């Protein structure tokens, strides 16, 4: 894991390849809690690890399997207003919720394409109402749930038109409640209202500024800047939220 300033200046790094505490095999998702702890989905070690803000190992939880508190390649992680850790348990096709110390609290979801079911969920985010927003990647949609896992709504379908998605990988929520989606297969970012109405899109396939290749996670800072893991181009891009009228030119 590497840590940078808000302007992209390298600050510190921690971790190495391996199975021991503080080591990783394909870390995928990261989140910061209210105390500044760094929570990492250590995907191929089938666990979540928690570190201090300076990268000191604090604790871990999870193991390989499908029981409560076990994982099969967890990817996205998020922290809600109660400090709970929400994990996209990707290949178990479910979401699991833990206390801030890693105690299993609840789970929801199963394999499928019905409401509340998942096909390789990846990114997860929490909005201001405490709703859990999930990038349901291989169902090419986003689903929204209550804080206790009750299905509320969904949006998106497979395709490249406005509001359609191709393997969305990450989700984030800005201070206006808008849902920002990494539309990975379409090499673009799409922005939706809190109820899933399409608002705007930006980005295209390529390596120029503002272009993308296989997007990963997405995050929003307090200034509303959008941080995108531009995986295929081996970089992070920081973008301002476009205005609707600019998008329609």
């Amino acid at each position: 894991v590497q840590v940078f300033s808000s302007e992209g200046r390298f600050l510190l790094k921690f971790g190495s390849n391996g199975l021991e505490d503080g080591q990783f095999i394909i870390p995928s998702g990261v989140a910061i809690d209210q105390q500044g702890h760094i929570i990492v989905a250590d995907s191929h070690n089938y666990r979540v690890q928690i570190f201090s803000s300076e990268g000191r190992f604090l604790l871990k939880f999870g193991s390989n399997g499908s029981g409560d508190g076990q994982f099969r390649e967890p990817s996205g992680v998020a922290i809600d207003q109660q400090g709970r850790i929400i994990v996209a348990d990707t290949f178990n096709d479910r979401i699991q919720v833990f206390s801030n110390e890693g105690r299993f609290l609840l789970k929801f979801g199963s394999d499928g394409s019905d409401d509340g079911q998942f096909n390789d969920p990846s990114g997860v985010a929490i909005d201001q109402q405490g709703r859990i927003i999930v990038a349901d990647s291989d169902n090419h949609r986003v689903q929204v749930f209550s804080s206790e896992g009750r299905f509320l709504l969904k949006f998106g379908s497979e395709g490249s038109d406005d509001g359609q998605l191709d393997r969305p990988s990450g989700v984030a929520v800005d201070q206006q409640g808008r849902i920002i989606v990494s539309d990975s297969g379409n090499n673009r970012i799409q922005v939706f209202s809190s109820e899933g109405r399409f608002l705007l899109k930006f980005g295209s396939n390529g390596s120029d500024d503002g272009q993308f290749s296989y997007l990963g996670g997405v995050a929003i800072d307090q200034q509303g800047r959008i941080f995108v893991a531009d995986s295929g181009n081996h970089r992070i891009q920081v973008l301002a939220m476009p205005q609707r009228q600019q998008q329609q030119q």
Side-chain angles (χ1 to χ4, degrees):
V1 173
Q2 296 193 70
V3 182
F4 298 84
S5 74
S6 60
E7 299 307 312
R9 179 171 55 86
F10 172 80
L11 297 176
L12 65 97
K13 64 184 177 183
F14 58 92
S16 59
N17 184 54
L19 308 174
E20 301 299 324
D21 294 350
Q23 293 186 314
F24 304 106
I25 300 180
I26 311 184
S28 56
V30 63
I32 309 295
D33 72 8
Q34 292 92 331
Q35 288 75 46
H37 298 145
I38 301 169
I39 295 94
V40 183
D42 186 10
S43 181
H44 283 223
N45 278 326
Y46 313 103
R47 65 187 180 184
V48 171
Q49 296 195 70
I50 302 179
F51 299 84
S52 74
S53 60
E54 299 305 312
R56 180 171 55 88
F57 173 80
L58 298 175
L59 65 95
K60 65 186 176 185
F61 58 92
S63 61
N64 186 20
S66 57
D68 292 349
Q70 293 185 312
F71 302 110
R72 290 182 60 222
E73 298 187 21
S75 53
V77 289
I79 309 298
D80 71 6
Q81 292 88 338
Q82 305 169 57
R84 302 184 308 172
I85 301 169
I86 291 85
V87 183
D89 186 8
T90 300
F91 291 142
N92 278 325
D93 295 303
R94 65 186 181 183
I95 300 295
Q96 294 197 72
V97 181
F98 299 84
S99 75
N100 60 2
E101 296 182 345
R103 179 171 54 86
F104 172 80
L105 298 175
L106 65 97
K107 65 184 177 185
F108 59 93
S110 60
D111 179 37
S113 58
D114 290 339
D115 293 349
Q117 293 186 314
F118 301 110
N119 189 353
D120 294 353
S122 54
V124 62
I126 309 298
D127 72 5
Q128 291 86 342
Q129 289 78 47
R131 302 185 307 171
I132 300 170
I133 293 122
V134 182
D136 186 10
S137 186
D138 280 3
N139 279 327
H140 311 286
R141 66 186 181 183
V142 172
Q143 295 195 72
V144 181
F145 299 85
S146 75
S147 61
E148 298 306 312
R150 179 171 55 86
F151 173 81
L152 298 175
L153 64 98
K154 64 184 177 186
F155 57 92
S157 60
E158 185 174 6
S160 58
D161 291 339
D162 292 351
Q164 292 188 313
L165 301 165
D166 185 355
R167 299 198 78 249
S169 55
V171 286
V173 180
D174 72 6
Q175 292 182 336
Q176 285 81 49
R178 295 176 296 191
I179 300 171
I180 294 88
V181 182
S182 289
D183 187 7
S184 185
N186 285 320
N187 297 297
R188 65 186 181 183
I189 297 290
Q190 293 198 72
V191 182
F192 298 84
S193 74
S194 61
E195 298 307 312
R197 179 171 55 86
F198 171 80
L199 298 175
L200 61 94
K201 65 185 178 186
F202 57 93
S204 60
N205 185 36
S207 58
D208 290 339
D209 292 349
Q211 293 187 313
F212 305 109
S213 175
Y214 190 69
L215 290 85
V218 61
I220 306 289
D221 71 5
Q222 291 91 335
Q223 288 77 48
R225 300 184 305 171
I226 302 170
F227 292 73
V228 181
D230 186 11
S231 301
N233 285 321
H234 311 286
R235 64 187 182 184
I236 301 293
Q237 293 197 67
V238 184
L239 306 112
M241 178 73 76
Q243 300 299 312
R244 176 185 285 272
Q245 58 267 29
Q246 292 175 335
Q247 179 61 31
Q248 291 178 340
Q249 288 177 354

